[in-house]
Amino acid sequence: MTNNYEGDPIDAKDVIPLLPIRDIVVYPFMILPLFVGRESSISAVEDALEHHDRLIVLASQKDISAETPTADEIYNVGTLAMIMRVRKLPDGRIKILIQGLSKVKIGEFKQSEPHFKVRMEKIENPAVKSSVDVAVLALIRNAKEQLEKIISHGKILSPDILMILEDIEDPGRLADLIASNLNLKVSEAQEILETIDPVERLHRINQILSREFEVIVIQNKIRSENSDRSSKNQKENFIKEQIKALKCELGADDGSGNGNGNGNDKQDEFTEFREKITSSHMPTDVEKEAIKQLSRLEKMHPESSESSILRNYLECILDLPWSKSSDENLDLENTKRILDEDHYDLEKVKDRIIEYLAVRRLKGKNMKGPILCFMGPPGVGKTSLGKSIARAMGRKFVRISLGGIRDEAEIRGHRRTYVGAMPGRFVQALHQAQTNNPIIMLDEVDKLGQDFRGDPASALLEVLDPEQNHTFRDHYLNVPFDLSNTMFIATANSLENIPHPLRDRMEILSLSGYIEEEKLSISNKFLIPKQMEENGINADNIEFSAESIIHIIRNFTAEAGLRALERKIGSICRKVARKVVMNDKSKNFIDNNCIEDMLGPPLFHKDIDHDIPEVGVAQGLAWTQAGGELIYIETDKMRGTGLTLTGQLGEIMKESAKTAVGHIRAKSRKLGIADDFFEKHELHIHIPSGAIPKDGPSAGVTLATALVSLITNTPIHKHIAMTGEITLTGKVLPVGGIKEKALAAIRDGITTIIIPWENKKDLVEIPKEYKDKLKFICVKKIDEVLNLALVDWKEKESERQTAHLIPDVNSSKKKHNHKNRKHEKPTNTNIPDVPDIPMAA
């Protein structure tokens, strides 16, 4: 028979369910909750509830990680327990409250599926009379005292355990109760459970309590030492601060006091700072500010965040080249030679640099640096020209990329109050150059952005103004720095995106594209040797013919610059390098026949037949950020009325088309156009490349010429291209980009260009090579354009005049104009002269 916790007898069967448990050993008389989640365990609990009077055997697993333990993985000594309460949880598990009854020995496993069933044998505890046996009584008292000491030294146990222990005199129950509260390892707790003799079990508990007491004493000692060490550090820091305060009071901050090693190191650092301030020859007001900040640093705790900020600030100031300058090369002949070595042509830019050096040589060093802006299409050598100028003048070169910058702090820096504050790009450039007269290139100045963080273009106004930049004040430094010795060179593809105040501060030097002969010369002199060197080949491996370079220029590139040409030459050199590596040592002669084998089919085709005039299609010239472009203006007529414009035209170009139509309608009788033509026909104007936006007034004469050609069925000469703005009265007004447009005409095989009369002054800047290839004709009126562009237009003038038998032209004209005004919207003749918007990226 087995008794429960109150001593009531319980009839236990020999074969009952077994519940394997993990992380714990259950002792007799223990009452504790268990969470049951495994299916086999739940099945065992249900079987115990239904068929075994709520009795179940609890035995610990040897391997706590095993999900489905076998009989060999379960200890053979366990505890017979009664399930006192059961509660089902929402996640499918059950929570049971069990009461340990007695130790049992598992004899035989009778069942393993769906849960374990075992034959058990109760283990009886030998009777011990502690009141008679003095040794047992001593063991009991010792165990209670040791547990008391452990609790007093900080061991966290159940607060009621000492009260419970006072009433227990049975050594076996005492040992089991203490063991269940010490959080022992499973193997150690199982060892105590398997110990049958109560006195021996209590001996083992005493040993464990002694070990636990020693461990907790050592823990407390370690904790106390750490606390003492922390208190000592705080005390030392406090004393150091007192010593520093005393030194400040006594004026002993020169390092002469009896400080420790760290103090001496600090004094050495401060002394070094003072020596650098003195030797840097910075301006007086800057030196005062540096000494002031150094004095603040000396009074601060070395580990404070403010001291770190001040230290970085002083290092930044002392690293600036306040008095360091590069020795300039003022030899004009040598400078010219270096510039010619690095770049072909660009004479206007080279002359400007030579002029600057000549004036500097005469005037001395008291001369402000020029602020230049190289404006031109991509790939013409703007950035590399800046490097060449620095090499020729013997100055350091620093490049600042401004493309996409939207934060004003990038220019002027952040104030020191911000976390992670840094100086601006210009101070960083001076740090990098380590001279106060470098050449700073402001690349892509036309790509500056603007948002809520400020306007960088406005911040540049101070930097690029010779009257202000001698006292440039960076927010981080908060002291003035003289930038007047620095030479600034900006680059841009277009002037439209540069604000006018900023543009006004720069001297604009235009770099147009190159014609075929110039590209051929540059390729032979610069590009081919460069690509041969970069690809590891030499003149014994490859040779380009002049015809092959021209073929690449005409059919594989369409640019004002040289980047695409250089890439194609590099591609050919890489293919030759591959042959060399594969033991093909023969020399490769590059001609037209092998170009397409290496580069594929031509990318661009010049499909213009200059011998066949065409009706209604005129050739105009446009300016883009990538240089000049030849554009085709196509017109057609159909039944209907009105004007249709396609090709993604901008508002200004649409107004130009309407102005051209208005002029043609006003002069219809003179042009030989029937009175009712516009009432019976719809006109359609289209400019190809419809995905590219187009705008600007310079296509006005081209639009008018194409429309007159269409309406009068007169062909247009294909060798002629034109540009110019048209007014309602037929005048031709000036436009910009004549040089770039001339280059585009040469590139596309045009031989004659019609330009406005007032652009005649721009022909002075056109190179002689352009004039040898092109015929420039300057006109004042659209009638001159028609006489030049339309086939036999002037010869057939009499036929057009006699086409209409009109007795009184003037009176009829008034009547005709009055009739037209009823059907037409007013046309704005005051069209502003604005530059063309870029056609392509």
Side-chain angles (χ1 to χ4, degrees):
M1 294 291 291
T2 302
N3 298 328
N4 63 11
Y5 193 80
E6 283 113 6
D8 299 330
I10 298 173
D11 185 13
K13 299 178 181 179
D14 291 339
V15 179
I16 61 175
L18 170 70
L19 176 62
I21 56 177
R22 297 186 282 195
D23 289 334
I24 193 171
V25 174
V26 178
Y27 293 94
F29 307 107
M30 282 181 66
I31 299 176
L32 76 160
L34 293 177
F35 291 92
V36 182
R38 292 182 284 197
E39 291 184 5
S40 58
S41 300
I42 294 173
S43 176
V45 172
E46 291 174 349
D47 188 17
L49 292 172
E50 293 178 7
H51 304 105
H52 297 277
D53 297 328
R54 309 172 75 91
L55 295 178
I56 193 167
V57 175
L58 305 177
S60 299
Q61 295 179 199
K62 295 178 182 178
D63 182 5
I64 62 173
S65 62
E67 283 294 324
T68 55
T70 62
D72 295 334
E73 294 177 326
I74 299 174
Y75 288 106
N76 60 0
V77 175
T79 302
L80 178 66
M82 173 176 283
I83 302 172
M84 300 172 66
R85 291 179 188 172
V86 179
R87 180 184 174 189
K88 290 188 177 181
L89 302 178
D91 58 1
R93 297 182 301 164
I94 60 174
K95 180 179 179 182
I96 60 174
L97 184 66
I98 60 100
Q99 171 190 329
L101 301 178
S102 64
K103 294 182 186 179
V104 294
K105 183 173 183 180
I106 300 169
E108 180 184 358
F109 283 81
K110 290 292 187 179
Q111 175 182 312
S112 60
E113 295 293 340
H115 57 268
F116 289 114
K117 272 191 174 183
V118 296
R119 184 181 297 279
M120 67 166 191
E121 179 183 346
K122 182 181 177 183
I123 300 175
E124 298 290 347
N125 281 322
V128 178
K129 293 182 179 180
S130 58
S131 58
V132 177
D133 194 335
V134 178
V136 174
L137 187 60
L139 279 174
I140 293 173
R141 288 184 180 178
N142 187 55
K144 292 179 179 180
E145 289 173 359
Q146 287 201 80
L147 188 62
E148 232 178 286
K149 286 197 293 183
I150 289 174
I151 293 174
S152 66
H153 277 71
K155 181 75 172 179
I156 300 175
L157 296 176
S158 173
D160 300 329
I161 187 171
L162 293 177
M163 296 175 60
I164 298 171
L165 290 177
E166 289 296 330
D167 299 330
I168 297 177
E169 298 298 332
D170 180 78
R173 287 188 62 183
L174 180 66
D176 292 343
L177 181 60
I178 294 175
S180 64
N181 282 274
L182 287 180
N183 297 326
L184 302 176
K185 294 181 181 178
V186 172
S187 58
E188 197 171 23
Q190 183 68 27
E191 178 188 346
I192 293 173
L193 180 67
E194 292 179 359
T195 304
I196 306 301
D197 186 1
V199 178
E200 185 181 347
R201 195 153 72 243
L202 191 55
H203 266 295
R204 179 68 182 130
I205 287 296
N206 271 293
Q207 293 173 359
I208 293 172
L209 288 172
S210 298
R211 184 193 66 196
E212 288 294 319
F213 179 71
E214 291 177 1
V215 169
I216 199 167
V217 167
I218 293 173
Q219 283 181 334
N220 290 337
K221 184 179 179 182
I222 293 171
R223 193 178 297 115
S224 176
E225 288 176 353
N226 290 337
S227 177
D228 291 343
R229 189 178 296 113
S230 176
S231 300
K232 183 179 179 182
N233 290 337
Q234 291 178 356
K235 186 177 179 181
E236 287 179 356
N237 290 333
F238 178 71
I239 294 174
K240 286 178 182 178
E241 291 298 322
Q242 286 184 321
I243 293 174
K244 184 191 293 185
L246 290 172
K247 284 185 177 182
C248 291
E249 292 291 332
L250 297 173
D253 55 351
D254 57 354
S256 60
N258 296 323
N260 56 15
N262 293 333
N264 290 334
D265 292 341
K266 282 179 58 181
Q267 293 302 326
D268 292 342
E269 180 188 14
F270 298 149
T271 303
E272 184 180 353
F273 273 139
R274 289 186 183 278
E275 291 175 354
K276 285 184 177 180
I277 292 172
T278 305
S279 61
S280 62
H281 303 293
M282 58 181 64
T284 305
D285 53 345
V286 179
E287 185 175 345
K288 287 181 180 178
E289 179 66 20
I291 292 175
K292 175 183 175 183
Q293 298 301 331
L294 178 58
S295 299
R296 288 184 59 203
L297 178 63
E298 288 175 333
K299 298 173 184 178
M300 288 182 180
H301 191 279
E303 296 180 2
S304 67
S305 59
E306 182 69 17
S307 69
S308 176
I309 293 173
L310 275 180
R311 186 174 284 103
N312 292 337
Y313 172 73
L314 287 172
E315 289 175 353
C316 178
I317 280 188
L318 294 175
D319 285 344
L320 283 175
W322 296 98
S323 58
K324 296 178 184 176
S325 301
S326 299
D327 294 330
E328 286 186 286
N329 176 20
L330 300 179
D331 186 346
L332 305 188
E333 294 293 335
N334 183 59
T335 302
K336 183 72 165 60
R337 177 184 59 78
I338 293 174
L339 292 175
D340 289 339
E341 282 179 4
D342 293 345
H343 288 83
Y344 178 83
D345 197 22
L346 305 179
E347 294 300 328
K348 189 174 181 180
V349 179
K350 294 176 182 177
D351 289 344
R352 180 65 182 87
I353 301 303
I354 299 298
E355 291 167 3
Y356 167 73
L357 293 179
V359 174
R360 190 168 179 83
R361 189 169 176 177
L362 292 174
K363 193 173 180 181
K365 293 188 176 181
N366 297 324
M367 179 183 175
K368 297 171 182 176
I371 298 171
L372 310 178
C373 178
F374 297 159
M375 193 278 292
V380 296
K382 300 185 293 295
T383 304
S384 60
L385 183 58
K387 295 180 182 178
S388 179
I389 292 171
R391 186 169 78 91
M393 296 176 64
R395 292 194 184 189
K396 294 290 183 69
F397 177 81
V398 182
R399 174 180 166 272
I400 299 176
S401 179
L402 298 179
I405 288 182
R406 296 178 176 273
D407 190 356
E408 178 196 356
E410 294 281 350
I411 306 299
R412 285 187 174 148
H414 303 81
R415 299 193 184 277
R416 295 201 308 273
T417 53
Y418 293 107
V419 176
M422 293 176 59
R425 294 286 188 96
F426 289 94
V427 173
Q428 293 179 34
L430 293 169
H431 273 295
Q432 181 181 344
Q434 282 301 302
T435 61
N436 61 10
N437 64 339
I439 292 179
I440 296 180
M441 171 153 282
L442 309 178
D443 217 2
E444 310 293 351
V445 72
D446 57 329
K447 309 297 191 303
L448 280 170
Q450 178 181 353
D451 63 7
F452 64 92
R453 290 169 291 186
D455 183 7
S458 299
L460 280 175
L461 296 178
E462 179 187 5
V463 178
L464 300 184
D465 190 343
E467 301 300 324
Q468 299 181 41
N469 62 11
H470 64 284
T471 57
F472 171 69
R473 187 178 290 266
D474 186 274
H475 287 162
Y476 182 82
L477 297 181
N478 202 29
V479 291
F481 191 94
D482 186 2
L483 293 177
S484 61
N485 295 322
T486 302
M487 182 176 183
F488 293 99
I489 300 177
T491 69
N493 298 129
S494 169
L495 297 179
E496 297 172 12
N497 299 327
I498 304 176
H500 180 73
L502 181 58
R503 190 168 62 215
D504 185 58
R505 282 165 167 76
M506 300 186 292
E507 180 180 347
I508 309 297
L509 298 176
S510 296
L511 281 70
S512 60
Y514 301 101
I515 61 176
E516 282 183 359
E517 287 76 6
E518 292 172 334
K519 290 184 178 181
L520 176 61
S521 178
I522 293 171
S523 298
N524 290 326
K525 190 174 180 181
F526 298 101
L527 302 184
I528 294 176
K530 177 184 175 183
Q531 288 299 320
M532 288 169 59
E533 181 181 356
E534 288 186 358
N535 291 283
I537 57 177
N538 51 44
D540 296 332
N541 305 123
I542 189 172
E543 181 179 338
F544 287 85
S545 66
E547 294 77 11
S548 66
I549 300 297
I550 295 295
H551 184 54
I552 295 173
I553 294 170
R554 289 179 179 174
N555 300 301
F556 291 88
T557 65
E559 59 172 354
L562 301 164
R563 285 179 181 158
L565 176 59
E566 184 175 4
R567 283 195 293 269
K568 298 301 178 184
I569 293 173
S571 178
I572 294 173
C573 290
R574 287 193 297 274
K575 288 176 170 56
V576 172
R578 178 181 176 183
K579 290 183 178 180
V580 172
V581 173
M582 298 176 70
N583 295 323
D584 184 357
K585 304 296 184 182
S586 60
K587 189 171 185 177
N588 293 268
F589 293 93
I590 308 301
D591 55 19
N592 288 357
N593 297 326
C594 64
I595 288 293
E596 294 187 15
D597 295 335
M598 291 185 169
L599 299 181
L603 302 178
F604 305 97
H605 298 274
K606 303 295 186 289
D607 55 357
I608 307 170
D609 190 348
H610 297 291
D611 297 329
I612 304 176
E614 194 171 354
V615 174
V617 179
Q619 297 172 139
L621 294 167
W623 179 90
T624 73
Q625 291 188 9
E629 288 289 339
L630 184 71
I631 61 172
Y632 296 92
I633 295 180
E634 301 176 348
T635 59
D636 208 345
K637 60 186 177 182
M638 59 212 75
R639 274 185 282 181
T641 57
L643 176 66
T644 301
L645 301 168
T646 57
Q648 203 172 158
L649 310 185
E651 289 299 321
I652 298 175
M653 187 170 279
K654 289 179 181 178
E655 289 182 355
S656 295
K658 293 175 183 177
T659 304
V661 172
H663 173 73
I664 293 170
R665 293 186 68 171
K667 303 291 184 181
S668 59
R669 289 180 176 272
K670 182 180 178 181
L671 298 173
I673 301 172
D675 294 340
D676 59 352
F677 177 85
F678 293 97
E679 297 173 1
K680 295 181 179 180
H681 294 85
E682 176 186 355
L683 298 178
H684 188 158
I685 299 175
H686 176 70
I687 302 181
S689 300
I692 302 174
K694 310 167 189 71
D695 207 355
S698 65
V701 295
T702 316
L703 289 164
T705 304
L707 288 170
V708 172
S709 169
L710 172 73
I711 297 170
T712 62
N713 200 31
T714 306
I716 302 174
H717 290 293
K718 296 298 289 292
H719 66 279
I720 292 178
M722 60 198 75
T723 184
E725 179 182 353
I726 189 173
T727 69
L728 198 59
T729 58
K731 295 179 181 178
V732 180
L733 301 184
V735 293
I738 296 297
K739 185 177 180 181
E740 288 77 8
K741 293 175 180 178
L743 177 60
I746 294 174
R747 197 164 57 233
D748 287 281
I750 301 297
T751 59
T752 303
I753 297 182
I754 299 175
I755 64 173
W757 180 267
E758 295 182 35
N759 282 117
K760 193 173 184 178
K761 63 182 185 300
D762 297 322
L763 298 180
V764 177
E765 297 183 1
I766 303 294
K768 184 177 181 301
E769 295 82 1
Y770 290 29
K771 295 178 180 178
D772 293 340
K773 291 177 173 289
L774 285 174
K775 181 180 180 182
F776 293 89
I777 301 177
C778 302
V779 298
K780 296 180 180 179
K781 302 278 288 185
I782 188 64
D783 296 339
E784 301 175 56
V785 178
L786 299 177
N787 290 335
L788 293 167
L790 299 181
V791 176
D792 298 331
W793 180 258
K794 192 171 185 179
E795 290 76 4
K796 296 181 180 179
E797 184 177 359
S798 59
E799 297 179 15
R800 295 192 299 277
Q801 295 296 331
T802 58
H804 297 277
L805 301 177
I806 306 168
D808 188 355
V809 175
N810 293 330
S811 61
S812 300
K813 178 179 178 182
K814 293 179 181 178
K815 182 178 180 181
H816 180 69
N817 289 343
H818 178 71
K819 180 181 179 182
N820 284 344
R821 282 195 293 271
K822 291 181 181 179
H823 300 283
E824 292 180 0
K825 296 180 180 179
T827 304
N828 180 16
T829 60
N830 188 21
I831 301 174
D833 183 11
V834 298
D836 294 343
I837 291 177
M839 288 179 56

